[in-house]
Amino acid sequence: MIDYRGLQALAMVIEHGGFERAARHLFITQSAVSQRVKHLEALIGQPVLMRTTPPKATAMGQRLHSHWQQVRLLEAGLGIASTPNQLTVRLTVNADSLATWLPEALVLPDHPNVSFDLLVEDQAVGLRRMRQGEVMACLCASAEPVNGGRVAFLGYLRYRAVASPEFIANYGLKDLSRLPDAPCLVFNRDDPLQHEFLATVVGGTPQRIHYCPSSEGFVEATRVGLGYGMIPELQFRDLLASGELVDVVPGYALSTPLYWHYWQTESDVMLNLRTQVIKIAKQRLLAEA
Amino acid sequence: MIDYRGLQALAMVIEHGGFERAARHLFITQSAVSQRVKHLEALIGQPVLMRTTPPKATAMGQRLHSHWQQVRLLEAGLGIASTPNQLTVRLTVNADSLATWLPEALVLPDHPNVSFDLLVEDQAVGLRRMRQGEVMACLCASAEPVNGGRVAFLGYLRYRAVASPEFIANYGLKDLSRLPDAPCLVFNRDDPLQHEFLATVVGGTPQRIHYCPSSEGFVEATRVGLGYGMIPELQFRDLLASGELVDVVPGYALSTPLYWHYWQTESDVMLNLRTQVIKIAKQRLLAEA
C-alpha cells in the first residue's frame, strides 16, 4: 500500500504551493511535512517534488497526486464523516466554454466540499493530461475516448465570423476577395477556426494575424476594430443586436462539437457533475451543427 | 554579421508553427527553409530549433528570434519600401487588461503592417521574458524597470469583491466572519487579490478555492453563484446595475497599479504604441488608487 500520510503531505504541498502552506492546512509543522514527503520518496525510491519555489511535482509526483485525488473522490462517495477536507476536481476545458456556458454547470449544491481546479488547454494537451490521469475529466472537441475513459456528446458551439461595421468599411470587405489581407484575430497557434473560415469562403489564408489568447479580449478586439474573428454566438448576441458587431459573411457559421471525457470508475461527485454538465449543455449548446 | 536569410527562415518557422507553413510564407520550398535553418545553425555552432511538432525554438533560437523582431521593427522606421512583410510585436500582458481596456489601445491606423502576438502571463513570467529580450514590451504591476528598459505608469485597475445576491444569502455573508468558509474564486496560483481581501476584511484565508483562469469565466462564475471573487470594476458595471452581482463588502476596493515596460531603443511603431497605450489607459484606468 502507498504511504497515504506522505501522499497527503505531497498533495497539500502541490495544491497550496509550498511546504509552509501545506503545514498550515494539515495543522502540523513545516518540518513534519518535509519529513513525510521524504519518507514517501524513500519508499517510492525516487523524488516526487522538485524543491523549487513553489515546489513542483515530478512526473511520479504528478501521478501520485492524481491517484490521491481519485482516492479522495471515491472516499467522498462513502458518505462517512472522516473526510472533512475539500475535494479538488481538476478538469481541462476549452477557453470558449469556460467563458460562456460552463460555469453554470459547475454549481453543485449537493457537494459543498468540492473545489474546482480548471485548466484551460488546447485539445491535444487536455487529452494528454486525461490520458496521463492528471485530470478527472476533459472537455474538448474530440469524440475519441482515451484508454479506460468514456465520452459523452454535449452539443455544438456555433461560431460566426464577425467584425465592426467600420472595420468592414475600412478594409472594403463587401468584396470578399479582400478578406485575406484584412487583419485576422486568432486565439492562439492551435486555433484553426479563422483559417477554416477563410479557406471555405475565399480559398486563401490570413496574411496578417493578431494572436489574442483571451475570450473576452477577443470579443473586445473585434468590437474596437483590431481585426475580424470567429466568435461563439453565445458571446456576442448583445453586440450584434446593438450593431457594434456584424457578420463578415452573413449566413456563414462554423460549429464545433463538444464532448465530456470521463473515467469508467466514476465517483458520486463526478457522476453528479457529468449529469449537470450534460443538462446545462443541452440548454446552451446546439443539438445539431 | 548574422545570416539574416537563415534568421528569417527561423523566424517564419517559429511564427507560423512549422517548416511547411514557413515555406508557404516565404514562397520557397520546405527543403529550402530547412537548409537555411541548418546553415544558420552551422554558423552559430548550436541548434536553434527543436524538431518537435510544431518545432520549438531553443534558448538560442528564442534570442535570435527576438533580435529578428527588433531588427524588423527598426527596419520599419526607415520608411523604405523593402519591408513589405508584416511586423510582429510580441507583448506580455495581464489577463484582466486584455479582457477590458487594452484591445482599444492596440488599434494603430498609422501602422497597417503590425501584427500583435499577445502572451497572457503572470508578472514574474512577463518580466522574465522582458529581461530575456523575448518581448518588445510588458504590461504588469511592477514599477521596477528591467536592465536596459524603462517604465511608464499607466494607472490603477480597481477591483471589488462581488457575488450574486443568492450566494450572499446562501452562505450567510451578511456575517463577514463566515467569509473564509464560502467558496472563493481565484484566477490562478499567482493571483493574490482574494487572499489580500480576506486578510484585510476578516483576517482569514479562503478555505475553499475554485481556480478559474478565464476573465470572462470568472465573471460568469460569480454571476451563477459558484463563488465570490475580486473583479475589475471595468468588467461588471452592467451586472452591478442589473443587481445580478453585488458587493460582498460595500465600500471595499483594491487597486492594482499598471506599468508599461519598454526598451530604451524604441522604434517608431513601439513609440506610437506606447503613446496610444498611455492615452487609452488614461481614459479607462484610475489616476489614483
Side-chain angles (χ1 to χ4, degrees):
Chain A
M1 193 195 77
I2 298 176
D3 165 24
Y4 280 93
R5 226 174 48 150
L7 196 49
Q8 182 190 37
L10 169 66
M12 293 300 105
V13 172
I14 295 172
E15 289 172 17
H16 301 292
F19 284 84
E20 198 191 314
R21 291 190 200 170
R24 249 183 282 142
H25 275 267
L26 290 171
F27 303 103
I28 58 178
T29 65
Q30 191 178 336
S31 119
V33 173
S34 174
Q35 272 170 25
R36 288 186 191 178
V37 172
K38 270 187 209 148
H39 183 66
L40 178 67
E41 288 178 325
L43 290 173
I44 303 278
Q46 55 177 286
V48 295
L49 278 179
M50 291 176 272
R51 268 64 171 184
T52 49
T53 313
K56 270 192 186 165
T58 61
M60 172 55 83
Q62 278 173 24
R63 282 217 297 284
L64 285 170
H65 184 218
S66 56
H67 169 72
W68 164 258
Q69 289 178 323
Q70 301 224 33
V71 168
R72 294 285 295 156
L73 285 170
L74 291 171
E75 274 180 23
L78 296 174
I80 50 177
S82 71
T83 58
N85 289 337
Q86 60 184 31
L87 305 168
T88 300
V89 173
R90 185 179 292 159
L91 309 172
T92 50
V93 302
N94 65 318
D96 286 335
S97 289
L98 183 53
T100 54
W101 66 274
L102 185 64
E104 193 179 349
L106 303 179
V107 181
L108 301 175
D110 294 346
H111 298 283
N113 59 338
V114 168
S115 291
F116 288 103
D117 187 2
L118 305 173
L119 307 174
V120 174
E121 305 281 17
D122 300 314
Q123 177 169 315
V125 176
L127 284 175
R128 198 188 64 214
R129 283 187 185 270
M130 183 78 190
R131 223 172 279 123
Q132 295 178 342
E134 292 171 22
V135 293
M136 305 302 301
C138 167
L139 172 60
C140 69
S142 164
E144 200 63 49
V146 303
N147 239 336
R150 293 186 179 180
V151 168
F153 173 67
L154 297 176
Y156 288 94
L157 197 56
R158 190 160 65 191
Y159 292 78
R160 278 153 68 180
V162 293
S164 73
E166 297 74 30
F167 183 87
I168 304 264
N170 287 346
Y171 287 91
L173 300 186
K174 296 276 177 216
D175 174 3
L176 288 184
S177 72
R178 300 185 61 179
L179 255 180
D181 295 320
C184 173
L185 290 160
V186 173
F187 191 82
N188 63 20
R189 266 87 182 162
D190 295 290
D191 170 11
L193 294 180
Q194 286 70 213
H195 288 76
E196 281 180 32
F197 161 74
L198 257 196
T200 311
V201 171
V202 290
T205 54
Q207 295 304 303
R208 187 178 158 206
I209 292 174
H210 297 302
Y211 290 103
C212 180
S214 157
S215 289
E216 195 167 6
F218 202 102
V219 176
E220 176 65 6
T222 54
R223 196 186 67 79
V224 299
L226 189 62
Y228 72 92
M230 302 292 296
I231 299 186
E233 286 183 337
L234 287 180
Q235 242 181 323
F236 65 78
R237 283 192 214 281
D238 293 353
L239 294 168
L240 211 69
S242 70
E244 287 180 272
L245 288 180
V246 295
D247 279 300
V248 176
V249 180
Y252 179 90
L254 204 158
S255 291
T256 301
L258 288 173
Y259 295 87
W260 185 253
H261 290 251
Y262 60 101
W263 296 107
Q264 270 168 29
T265 317
E266 212 176 24
S267 61
D268 279 1
V269 174
M270 293 309 293
L271 172 61
N272 203 306
L273 174 61
R274 175 163 59 91
T275 312
Q276 175 88 344
V277 164
I278 290 172
K279 182 184 133 196
I280 301 294
K282 205 166 183 178
Q283 294 168 13
R284 307 286 302 275
L285 302 178
L286 300 171
E288 287 173 37
Chain B
M1 193 195 76
I2 299 176
D3 165 24
Y4 280 94
R5 230 175 45 151
L7 196 48
Q8 182 191 37
L10 169 67
M12 292 300 106
V13 172
I14 294 172
E15 290 171 18
H16 300 293
F19 284 85
E20 197 192 314
R21 292 192 199 169
R24 249 183 284 142
H25 275 267
L26 290 170
F27 303 102
I28 57 178
T29 65
Q30 193 179 336
S31 118
V33 174
S34 175
Q35 272 169 26
R36 287 186 192 179
V37 172
K38 270 188 210 149
H39 183 66
L40 177 68
E41 288 178 326
L43 291 172
I44 303 280
Q46 55 177 288
V48 296
L49 277 180
M50 290 175 273
R51 268 62 172 185
T52 48
T53 314
K56 269 192 186 165
T58 61
M60 173 55 84
Q62 278 173 24
R63 283 219 294 285
L64 286 170
H65 184 218
S66 57
H67 169 74
W68 164 257
Q69 289 179 323
Q70 300 224 32
V71 168
R72 294 285 295 156
L73 285 170
L74 291 170
E75 273 180 22
L78 295 174
I80 50 177
S82 70
T83 57
N85 289 337
Q86 61 183 31
L87 305 168
T88 299
V89 173
R90 183 178 293 160
L91 309 173
T92 51
V93 302
N94 65 317
D96 286 334
S97 288
L98 183 53
T100 54
W101 66 274
L102 185 64
E104 192 178 350
L106 302 179
V107 181
L108 301 175
D110 294 346
H111 299 282
N113 57 339
V114 167
S115 292
F116 289 103
D117 186 2
L118 304 174
L119 306 175
V120 173
E121 304 281 19
D122 300 312
Q123 177 169 313
V125 177
L127 284 175
R128 197 188 64 215
R129 283 187 184 270
M130 183 79 191
R131 223 172 280 123
Q132 295 178 341
E134 292 170 24
V135 294
M136 305 302 301
C138 167
L139 172 60
C140 70
S142 163
E144 201 63 47
V146 303
N147 240 336
R150 292 186 180 179
V151 168
F153 173 68
L154 297 176
Y156 288 93
L157 198 55
R158 191 159 65 191
Y159 292 79
R160 277 152 69 180
V162 293
S164 73
E166 297 75 28
F167 184 86
I168 304 266
N170 288 346
Y171 287 91
L173 299 185
K174 296 276 176 216
D175 175 2
L176 289 183
S177 71
R178 300 184 61 178
L179 256 179
D181 294 320
C184 173
L185 291 159
V186 173
F187 191 82
N188 63 19
R189 266 84 181 166
D190 294 292
D191 170 12
L193 295 180
Q194 285 71 211
H195 287 76
E196 281 181 32
F197 162 72
L198 257 196
T200 311
V201 171
V202 290
T205 53
Q207 295 304 304
R208 188 177 159 207
I209 293 173
H210 298 303
Y211 290 104
C212 180
S214 156
S215 289
E216 195 168 5
F218 202 101
V219 176
E220 177 65 3
T222 55
R223 196 186 68 77
V224 299
L226 189 63
Y228 72 92
M230 303 292 297
I231 300 185
E233 287 182 338
L234 287 180
Q235 242 181 322
F236 65 79
R237 282 190 216 282
D238 293 354
L239 294 168
L240 211 67
S242 69
E244 286 180 273
L245 288 180
V246 295
D247 279 301
V248 176
V249 180
Y252 180 90
L254 204 157
S255 291
T256 301
L258 288 173
Y259 295 88
W260 184 253
H261 290 251
Y262 60 102
W263 296 107
Q264 269 167 30
T265 318
E266 213 176 24
S267 62
D268 278 1
V269 174
M270 292 308 293
L271 172 62
N272 204 304
L273 174 61
R274 176 163 59 92
T275 311
Q276 176 88 344
V277 164
I278 291 173
K279 182 183 135 197
I280 301 293
K282 204 166 184 177
Q283 294 167 12
R284 306 286 303 274
L285 302 178
L286 300 171
E288 286 174 38

